[in-house]
Amino acid sequence: MSTMKVLLAAGAVTLVGAAGASAATLDDVKAKGFVQCGVSTGVPGFSFTDDAGNWQGFDPAVCQAVAAAVFGDSSKVKYTPTTGKTRFTALASGEIDMLARNTTWTLSRDADLGFTFLGVNYYDGQGFMAPNALGVGSAKDLDGASVCIQTGTTTELNLADFFRLNNMSYEPVPIETQEEAITNYQAGRCDVYTTDASGLAAARSSFDNPKDHVILPEIISKEPLGPLVREGDEVWGDVVRWSLNALILAEEYGVTSENVDDMAANSANPEVLRLLGTEGSMGEMLGLDNKWGYNIVKQVGNYGEVFEKYIGANTPVGLERGLNAQYKDGGIIYAPPAR
Ligand SMILES: N[C@@H](CCC(=O)N[C@@H](CS)C(=O)NCC(=O)O)C(=O)O
């Protein structure tokens, strides 16, 4: 490690220690009355502002689930838009309480940057999009291509690995936000755009003529995307982890925003009764009201409802469940039990 890196690392630790107030994030959040949640600056379906200026989408839904769990009110969230580059400083410095923004769980982010990932809300992988007019059928045909690429991402690193592995060269066109990527790509300033395949589908859904663009068949990486918090605050980490798990468990057991009242009163499944707070004290164990799980499902919906509402097959983004189906349906979405 160079002296500079040691100094930077030491600085980061001091920063986290000072701002993180260690094990007190849940208390801080309760005291201020809202969750400060980092999201992306905008990806169709995943993170966007509606006509009233409110943040919505597949990722903000995780923030809303946490607010429903903590306050019984999913609207108690303030949002901080972050880019690939700014997101980790925002979290480490204490500016945000959690990050819910298509962020890949990797070893170095976990161990070196000092964060804790709480699960996966979307299993993804990196792909390439090209205009049909370029006449490219495979990522292996991209030798010499110029590539729009977001800085501070795993995308950047995977791209370098992939081209190196295949003895090909490329010219990076670095950009910071998805919006910039789309503008540059559509203006022909890069031949191809590479990012998480979900991001490609989202970008393409915003084009005037989506069918003029092809997503190439190769998926060159694993990108498990999920929420994260600062390392060292297990109590707060548990709240975010189990809020995500509650969304997933509710779908597994067929509990929806529509039937949750009936399920809470009449379900024959003891796990459903525990999750919804009719029986047991799961909420209390988390430092929350026992109705935490009920409030999540009632106000935000279950995982499948959130998926279909924002990014599913019947939305412009049009994603199939694929790996993100429940394990019982052939996917790998799986939450540990509420017991
Ligand atoms: N999953 C990758 C890439 C995440 C990423 O930055 N994705 C882009 C494209 S989907 C994005 O979120 N853009 C929106 C923005 O920059 O605000 C990572 O964690 O590094």
Side-chain angles (χ1 to χ4, degrees):
M1 215 187 239
S2 70
T3 316
M4 186 50 88
K5 187 153 184 228
V6 172
L7 284 176
L8 282 174
V13 169
T14 317
L15 205 59
V16 172
S22 224
T25 309
L26 178 58
D27 292 339
D28 290 351
V29 165
K30 282 181 177 170
K32 68 186 175 186
F34 59 87
V35 182
Q36 190 77 43
C37 200
V39 292
S40 65
T41 60
V43 178
F46 282 86
S47 197
F48 58 94
T49 47
D50 63 19
D51 294 341
N54 298 315
W55 282 93
Q56 289 224 34
F58 187 74
D59 286 331
V62 179
C63 317
Q64 289 154 10
V66 172
V70 176
F71 301 109
D73 183 348
S74 64
S75 73
K76 300 264 187 247
V77 185
K78 290 194 182 176
Y79 297 91
T80 302
T82 64
T83 68
K85 246 166 103 173
T86 63
R87 58 186 155 172
F88 297 126
T89 323
L91 184 57
S93 69
E95 186 187 341
I96 56 177
D97 302 309
M98 60 179 284
L99 185 64
R101 179 209 185 279
N102 55 27
T103 293
T104 307
W105 183 352
T106 69
L107 187 152
S108 58
R109 289 170 177 178
D110 198 333
D112 196 30
L113 294 186
F115 298 125
T116 297
F117 286 81
L118 292 326
V120 175
N121 71 331
Y122 193 95
Y123 288 94
D124 211 342
Q126 183 174 337
F128 295 89
M129 175 165 63
N132 290 341
L134 199 67
V136 174
S138 159
K140 302 262 175 77
D141 301 335
L142 292 177
D143 195 13
S146 60
V147 186
C148 273
I149 177 87
Q150 264 165 276
T151 47
T153 60
T154 48
T155 324
E156 218 177 0
L157 311 172
N158 299 326
L159 181 71
D161 283 359
F162 178 77
F163 275 75
R164 182 171 140 195
L165 202 66
N166 289 289
N167 285 315
M168 303 192 303
S169 68
Y170 64 98
E171 188 194 322
V173 179
I175 30 99
E176 199 172 340
T177 64
Q178 162 121 323
E179 200 184 345
E180 248 182 283
I182 292 175
T183 312
N184 278 280
Y185 171 79
Q186 288 196 301
R189 283 193 276 274
C190 47
D191 298 320
V192 293
Y193 176 34
T194 184
T195 188
D196 300 339
S198 67
L200 293 179
R204 190 166 64 164
S205 75
S206 72
F207 293 176
D208 289 339
N209 297 306
K211 293 207 171 87
D212 291 349
H213 302 266
V214 61
I215 294 177
L216 301 178
E218 288 86 357
I219 295 293
I220 66 165
S221 69
K222 286 185 293 186
E223 307 291 329
L225 312 176
L228 54 150
V229 298
R230 283 179 295 280
E231 196 165 78
D233 188 342
E234 289 302 320
V235 171
W236 178 237
D238 286 350
V239 168
V240 177
R241 175 184 291 114
W242 286 95
S243 296
L244 173 60
N245 285 337
L247 292 168
I248 294 172
L249 289 171
E251 180 183 34
E252 177 176 351
Y253 293 119
V255 186
T256 67
S257 54
E258 302 284 309
N259 71 15
V260 64
D261 287 293
D262 179 42
M263 287 290 223
N266 304 314
S267 175
N269 183 341
E271 183 156 354
V272 169
L273 299 178
R274 283 192 298 272
L275 180 69
L276 301 179
T278 311
E279 287 183 4
S281 56
M282 300 282 139
E284 242 171 79
M285 294 177 193
L286 291 165
L288 305 172
D289 190 277
N290 278 332
K291 284 282 177 197
W292 68 286
Y294 168 87
N295 287 330
I296 290 176
V297 185
K298 179 81 180 175
Q299 297 179 21
V300 184
N302 69 34
Y303 179 83
E305 287 180 280
V306 172
F307 192 104
E308 295 310 334
K309 179 173 177 186
Y310 293 116
I311 58 172
N314 295 320
T315 67
V317 181
L319 293 167
E320 299 293 337
R321 287 292 294 268
L323 279 181
N324 298 295
Q326 292 276 339
Y327 72 102
K328 287 180 172 174
D329 302 325
I332 55 174
I333 290 289
Y334 177 106
R339 164 164 308 286

